[in-house]
Amino acid sequence: MDHAADAHRTDLMTITRFVLNEQSKYPESRGDFTILLSHIVLGCKFVCSAVNKAGLAKLIGLAGETNIQGEEQKKLDVLSNDVFVNALISSGRTSVLVSEEDEEATFVEPSHRGKYCVVFDPLDGSSNIDCGVSIGTIFGIYTLDHTDEPTTEDVLKPGNEMVAAGYCMYGSSCMLVLSTGTGVHGFTLDPSLGEFILTHPDIKIPKKGNIYSVNEGNAQNWDGPTTKYVEKCKFPKDGSPAKSLRYVGSMVADVHRTLLYGGIFLYPADKKSPTGKLRVLYEVFPMSFLMEQAGGQAFTGQKRALDLVPEKIHERSPIFLGSYDDVEEIKALYAEDEKKN
Ligand code: FDP
């Protein structure tokens, strides 16, 4: 009998046990983060279940509303947003919530307030819902550093001040990837137990990868460094093999693959969208936080992504993230371009 394998099967490291273990390293901790996380986990399980039965339950299709970015909202987006807002408020551990689906930040009633601010995209990649492709929830967590009335300033902070970030991918399996600033850990939902189990401890992104991931349909509008970089991926002049292209069009899925296999994910600025498409607070920051914690890098075309200081809650930024060496290459091209201009 393989005792080690048996112990692995019977001594399960659930996400709650994992976070409690982490918490025990900080004697002053009162368990607030564990409680907050358990509410986020609940939201993820609910959305996972809704995504899985979307076709059956007629949740696919438009909800008949448009969100603040002018995009059509899907029924599942609306449902996911409601689920997360309710779960986060009822945790009693949050004061400010910023959701991709809500124009304004939500300020929690004083009776339910706590010391965290959560920024999130409840269902990212919504154009992929109707065809059953992987989608996900992305979140980032800040601490409230005062006891005055909370304001949006409490979340208009650089990503390097986040205390935790993660995403849940609703794919062939449901996986929650989390960092509390001490590495990146992946948990897979065991549907029979209804628990996220640690399956990918201490994820490290390969130093260099052989995949690039970008919407090449926008190529005619790219700037010089992005165009040169993608050209290098396809026609390398140093004798290295050409990179493979993989693009799901769902940030969580594209970033998840990049984290596990290495390579680079880019959503650059272009002439039509000079500030890029992806949102700083709940797309760029959490994914950049995870990339850095896994040993990779995240760059905006100008600076380290986590050093951006957003001025608006729905601000956008170009983003290049992934394997350390691959991001170094794009950084060098932007530096060269800056010297010329
Ligand atoms: P979606 O529009 O389907 O919601 O920001 C949202 C996002 O998806 C990301 O998940 C994804 O990486 C990106 O937009 C895809 O954009 P393009 O369709 O322009 O490639």
Side-chain angles (χ1 to χ4, degrees):
M1 185 176 176
D2 182 346
H3 290 285
D6 198 45
H8 193 65
R9 276 196 300 271
T10 55
D11 187 19
L12 300 173
M13 180 60 80
T14 64
I15 192 164
T16 310
R17 180 177 163 195
F18 180 87
V19 175
L20 281 170
N21 281 354
E22 291 281 299
Q23 183 194 310
S24 65
K25 294 177 195 159
Y26 305 94
E28 71 287 359
S29 165
R30 291 182 18 249
D32 290 317
F33 184 79
T34 310
I35 293 171
L36 171 65
L37 190 74
S38 71
H39 282 74
I40 292 177
V41 164
L42 176 69
C44 294
K45 286 184 199 168
F46 189 106
V47 175
C48 178
S49 153
V51 168
N52 285 342
K53 54 185 188 222
L56 293 172
K58 296 201 169 57
L59 288 167
I60 284 177
L62 301 178
E65 288 174 36
T66 46
N67 68 10
I68 45 135
Q69 335 278 351
E71 300 159 335
E72 287 168 325
Q73 270 183 314
K74 306 270 176 173
K75 284 181 190 171
L76 264 178
D77 300 26
V78 179
L79 181 73
S80 307
N81 193 40
D82 290 351
V83 166
F84 275 100
V85 169
N86 287 332
L88 290 167
I89 292 177
S90 66
S91 74
R93 300 299 183 277
T94 59
S95 284
V96 187
L97 308 178
V98 170
S99 164
E100 196 246 6
E101 297 296 337
D102 295 323
E103 186 167 359
E104 305 290 344
T106 300
F107 296 99
V108 179
E109 290 291 308
S111 59
H112 280 79
R113 273 185 202 157
K115 68 174 187 188
Y116 293 105
C117 305
V118 182
V119 291
F120 60 103
D121 186 346
L123 204 57
D124 190 75
S126 44
S127 60
N128 280 315
I129 295 174
D130 289 2
C131 57
V133 167
S134 298
I135 44 184
T137 298
I138 311 174
F139 59 90
I141 303 174
Y142 291 101
T143 34
L144 192 69
D145 48 17
H146 60 82
T147 49
D148 302 338
E149 197 58 21
T151 68
T152 44
E153 295 304 313
D154 293 311
V155 289
L156 295 176
K157 293 178 174 174
N160 57 45
E161 289 188 26
M162 281 186 170
V163 291
Y167 61 79
C168 186
M169 186 177 70
Y170 312 110
S172 53
S173 58
C174 176
M175 202 168 162
L176 200 151
V177 174
L178 174 73
S179 177
T180 55
T182 53
V184 180
H185 307 282
F187 303 82
T188 306
L189 182 65
D190 180 333
S192 60
L193 297 174
E195 290 277 6
F196 281 99
I197 310 295
L198 180 65
T199 48
H200 296 62
D202 202 15
I203 298 171
K204 291 286 174 233
I205 183 169
K207 192 153 180 290
K208 191 171 175 58
N210 55 14
I211 297 175
Y212 73 105
S213 184
V214 66
N215 184 343
E216 278 210 68
N218 297 328
Q220 60 172 324
N221 291 318
W222 288 342
D223 62 15
T226 300
T227 307
K228 262 195 206 160
Y229 181 76
V230 172
E231 193 70 3
K232 265 179 87 176
C233 291
K234 297 198 279 196
F235 306 102
K237 294 208 172 83
D238 58 2
S240 58
K243 287 191 192 302
S244 291
L245 167 66
R246 296 280 184 278
Y247 189 68
V248 177
S250 189
M251 191 188 196
V252 174
D254 283 315
V255 170
H256 187 65
R257 183 201 55 250
T258 305
L259 200 57
L260 296 187
Y261 296 173
I264 189 163
F265 167 82
L266 38 155
Y267 209 110
D270 62 46
K271 280 182 213 137
K272 281 201 294 188
S273 327
T275 52
K277 176 180 184 190
L278 301 181
R279 274 53 70 102
V280 173
L281 274 182
Y282 39 80
E283 292 182 312
V284 169
F285 278 172
M287 295 312 202
S288 301
F289 188 95
L290 292 166
M291 276 299 156
E292 286 200 4
Q293 285 292 321
Q297 297 197 72
F299 176 64
T300 65
Q302 290 185 327
K303 56 162 87 165
R304 175 189 177 213
L306 290 179
D307 288 342
L308 270 177
V309 186
E311 288 171 7
K312 290 186 276 176
I313 59 173
H314 296 293
E315 194 168 306
R316 299 170 194 260
S317 168
I319 185 70
F320 304 84
L321 54 79
S323 292
Y324 193 95
D325 288 355
D326 293 316
V327 179
E328 268 312 279
E329 278 185 34
I330 189 99
K331 281 165 79 176
L333 289 170
Y334 272 97
E336 209 177 276
D337 190 63
E338 210 183 355
K339 250 194 240 160
K340 271 195 227 147
N341 298 320

